């Protein structure tokens, strides 16, 4: 598993986020660092308000079709999940899970994110559980 969003270059407009250029450059860099040909899961670590969702999902579809990742994961709100999941279905790729911060003190995903994941049939995994 590897993820994409954070800055990986000197700070140019495509050195972070979910633009097509950043997604494709980041998967190639991750595969090189991991010394592998593909990853099981490629995660959109954050939602990118600066890049059209269509561009992001088409880039993810190209990554999957190229055999560089098998599945796509996100860390998004219910509305973003629904839109991304719909585009993934149109593009015939598997959008399989959402990763949210969740622990005994931070339970804000329960009223909306968890039901959205159940509605869409995608998994919900957490980070920072302790």
């Amino acid at each position: 598993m590897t993820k994409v969003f954070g800055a990986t270059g000197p700070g140019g407009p495509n050195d972070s986020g979910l633009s097509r250029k950043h997604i494709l450059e980041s998967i190639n860099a991750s595969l090189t660092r991991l010394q592998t040909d593909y990853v099981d899961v490629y995660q959109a670590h954050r939602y990118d308000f600066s890049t059209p969702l269509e561009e992001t999902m088409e880039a993810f579809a190209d990554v999957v079709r190229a055999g560089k990742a098998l599945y796509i994961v996100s860390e998004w709100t219910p509305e973003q999940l629904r839109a991304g999941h719909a585009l993934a279905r149109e593009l015939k790729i598997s959008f399989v899970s959402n990763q949210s911060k969740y622990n005994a003190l931070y339970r804000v995903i329960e009223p909306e994110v968890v039901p959205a994941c159940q509605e869409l049939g995608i998994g919900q995994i957490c980070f920072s559980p302790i």
Side-chain angles (χ1 to χ4, degrees):
M1 177 176 189
T2 190
K3 55 189 168 184
V4 59
F5 187 89
T8 57
N14 289 304
D15 288 341
S16 66
L18 298 177
S19 69
R20 175 178 185 75
K21 184 175 187 328
H22 188 62
I23 287 171
L24 298 179
E25 287 178 353
S26 291
I27 190 66
N28 290 333
S30 290
L31 294 176
T32 298
R33 281 190 307 274
L34 294 168
Q35 299 178 8
T36 188
D37 296 329
Y38 76 97
V39 292
D40 292 328
V41 177
Y42 197 28
Q43 179 181 356
H45 189 54
R46 299 278 184 263
Y47 190 84
D48 186 351
F49 293 96
S50 300
T51 303
L53 184 58
E54 294 80 8
E55 177 180 338
T56 296
M57 295 308 295
E58 287 172 5
F60 279 131
D62 288 344
V63 167
V64 170
R65 288 187 192 116
K68 296 179 180 183
L70 301 179
Y71 304 103
I72 304 302
V73 174
S74 70
E75 184 190 337
W76 295 348
T77 67
E79 296 76 25
Q80 295 161 349
L81 283 170
R82 286 183 184 97
H85 188 265
L87 283 169
R89 289 188 73 178
E90 286 177 28
L91 295 164
K92 301 189 181 348
I93 60 171
S94 297
F95 190 116
V96 297
S97 187
N98 189 60
Q99 182 184 42
S100 300
K101 180 177 180 183
Y102 182 75
N103 58 48
L105 299 175
Y106 190 85
R107 302 173 69 101
V108 298
I109 68 167
E110 289 177 345
E112 295 180 0
V113 175
V114 172
C117 288
Q118 291 171 332
E119 164 197 328
L120 298 170
I122 63 175
Q124 175 63 47
I125 55 178
C126 66
F127 76 89
S128 194
I130 297 179

